[in-house]
Amino acid sequence: MERIFGRCWLFLVHTSQIPKTGDYFRTFMGEDDVIVIRQKDGSIKAFLNSCTHRGNRVCRADRGNARAFTCNYHGWSFAPDGALAGVPLENEAYFGKLDRSKFGLVPVTKVSEYKGLVFGCWDANSPSLEDYLGDAKFFLDVWLDAMPGGSALLGETQKMVLGTNWKLPVENVCGDGYHLGWAHAGAMSAVQSMDLTGLNVGNSGVDLDGGLSVAGMNGHMVLSALDGVSGYAFYPDPKPILEYLEANRQTVIDRLGEVRGKQVWGAQVNITIFPNLQLLPGLNWFRVYHPKGPGQIEQWTWAMAENDMPEAVKAQILENQCLTFGLAGLFDNDDGDNLTACTEQSRGWRTAQMDVYTNMALGRSGKREGLPGDIAAGLVSEHNQRYFYRRWQEHMMAETWAEVPTYNINSLTAQEAEHA
Ligand code: FES
Ligand SMILES: [Fe+2]
């Protein structure tokens, strides 16, 4: 908790979820319950959801609009900027001696936004959010900035409790194309409508030229096909979305360049922002994992869309996200079963001493012109998983941010400098 969730930038909310003054959203930073709220001046602040009197929660709803948060226990009341605004019997019982300015809600140390994504961080010595995201922004922009209207999250939060550690689902999505044709064979035969670089039912083939595993970006990772359409491979009827892609592809090429506009936008893309945020343009889901003790998580999922998409396409996206990676989603239940079983099977005294094996494609990565990161070919490799656990270990070993190593391999800024 201290070295990962107390130190890293953590996703809080998308600005589309709290558009108006007083709109708030309740979330978690690690196991700390946090309220994120839009201020009068349009800025966003975040506070611990913990009354400074005795620690009761001051907000019980998941989201809403509030002019104050009043504690159920003794009635202390807090303004949207966190200030302690009202105390019952203040004069009579505290004899007018209570210094209210000392008992505001505890603010999250830093709150910052990148193109609609709001993050919070407890560590005053962390790098800025822009620096923290680093070259992962190159891929994030494929969702956040491809189209002029930007992006939004759709629908309500889909919450699921899973008996697993937060690292396992991150590992599963950050780089594990290997399980796709096998674990999801049933789901794929039900909904797959086009090829995903040769990843077919039963793992019957793979095309290592058709995708990338990108890591070495300070803990962030990307897995991407390069065909510009396969994000919709698991849509029973991808036609309306493919039409949207083709109608707008030139706009995206103009905004993001050839590689991202032609090959990545519309393709299957898995983006992992260390530690616990994952978003998949293409399959269009967006997810955070909140740890609840060592063997349990709460997984929160939303559908994601571009604001420029026609309403009918957005509706189709929400429906398909629920069908594949929603609470009763075909794919999500395959993953849930495997992840909880891996966790349960590691509880025994002897099984806990076993090693796991993540050597696939070891030593087969390198640089690619125009792309950031250390890159292994294809969607099937354990390249990203190794970097993920390496980053976890680096944070766990470091006392402070100053001791956390930086490795932005093949960084885009360095490439620009080289070409200058
Ligand atoms: S615990 Fe909140 S007012 Fe007492
Ligand atoms: Fe999966």
Side-chain angles (χ1 to χ4, degrees), residues 51-58 71-78 88:
C51 179
T52 48
H53 181 229
R54 280 290 202 291
N56 191 13
R57 54 177 75 88
V58 297
C71 180
N72 270 17
Y73 202 174
H74 313 90
W76 283 25
S77 170
F78 300 87

Side-chain angles (χ1 to χ4, degrees), residues 161-395:
V161 174
L162 275 175
T164 186
N165 186 279
W166 67 272
K167 296 187 284 302
L168 273 172
V170 175
E171 175 198 327
N172 176 60
V173 174
C174 80
D176 197 326
Y178 191 33
H179 79 289
L180 206 66
W182 193 259
H184 298 303
M188 282 168 75
S189 51
V191 295
Q192 188 169 19
S193 61
M194 57 174 124
D195 188 33
L196 184 66
T197 67
L199 274 174
N200 293 312
V201 173
N203 263 354
S204 52
V206 63
D207 171 10
L208 285 184
D209 293 329
L212 304 167
S213 296
V214 188
M217 301 183 292
N218 285 332
H220 312 309
M221 291 140 309
V222 174
L223 194 67
S224 179
L226 295 171
D227 54 19
V229 291
S230 60
Y232 301 96
F234 302 129
Y235 276 59
D237 173 23
K239 196 163 167 269
I241 293 172
L242 297 182
E243 284 169 4
Y244 167 80
L245 291 175
E246 290 330 306
N248 294 289
R249 195 168 297 281
Q250 191 55 49
T251 308
V252 180
I253 293 170
D254 294 343
R255 294 170 69 84
L256 301 180
E258 294 262 326
V259 173
R260 287 183 292 174
K262 271 193 188 152
Q263 294 186 273
V264 184
W265 190 64
Q268 177 59 41
V269 191
N270 297 16
I271 302 175
T272 301
I273 301 300
F274 190 88
N276 65 335
L277 171 66
Q278 293 189 310
L279 57 156
L280 275 75
L283 275 164
N284 287 310
W285 56 261
F286 186 101
R287 181 173 281 176
V288 286
Y289 308 98
H290 298 301
K292 303 283 169 190
Q296 189 166 297
I297 60 162
E298 228 175 86
Q299 171 178 292
W300 290 11
T301 310
W302 299 268
M304 51 191 249
E306 287 165 2
N307 288 316
D308 291 299
M309 286 171 165
E311 290 307 313
V313 168
K314 289 183 195 170
Q316 198 195 2
I317 281 175
L318 180 56
E319 192 183 306
N320 202 71
Q321 178 266 313
C322 290
L323 173 72
T324 52
F325 287 90
L327 296 177
L330 296 169
F331 289 75
D332 236 19
N333 284 296
D334 300 332
D335 289 332
D337 183 63
N338 286 318
L339 300 177
T340 50
C342 288
T343 309
E344 275 166 25
Q345 294 313 105
S346 305
R347 284 215 182 100
W349 164 78
R350 183 60 186 87
T351 39
Q353 299 172 58
M354 283 170 62
D355 288 330
V356 290
Y357 184 60
T358 54
N359 280 18
M360 189 190 287
L362 187 64
R364 290 181 174 265
S365 61
K367 295 178 182 183
R368 289 220 195 169
E369 177 72 22
L371 289 166
D374 181 16
I375 297 179
L379 301 180
V380 176
S381 109
E382 281 159 351
H383 177 69
N384 287 4
Q385 290 96 316
R386 287 190 290 275
Y387 269 104
F388 170 60
Y389 285 115
R390 169 177 164 180
R391 193 59 170 175
W392 172 80
Q393 187 178 37
E394 286 163 354
H395 272 288

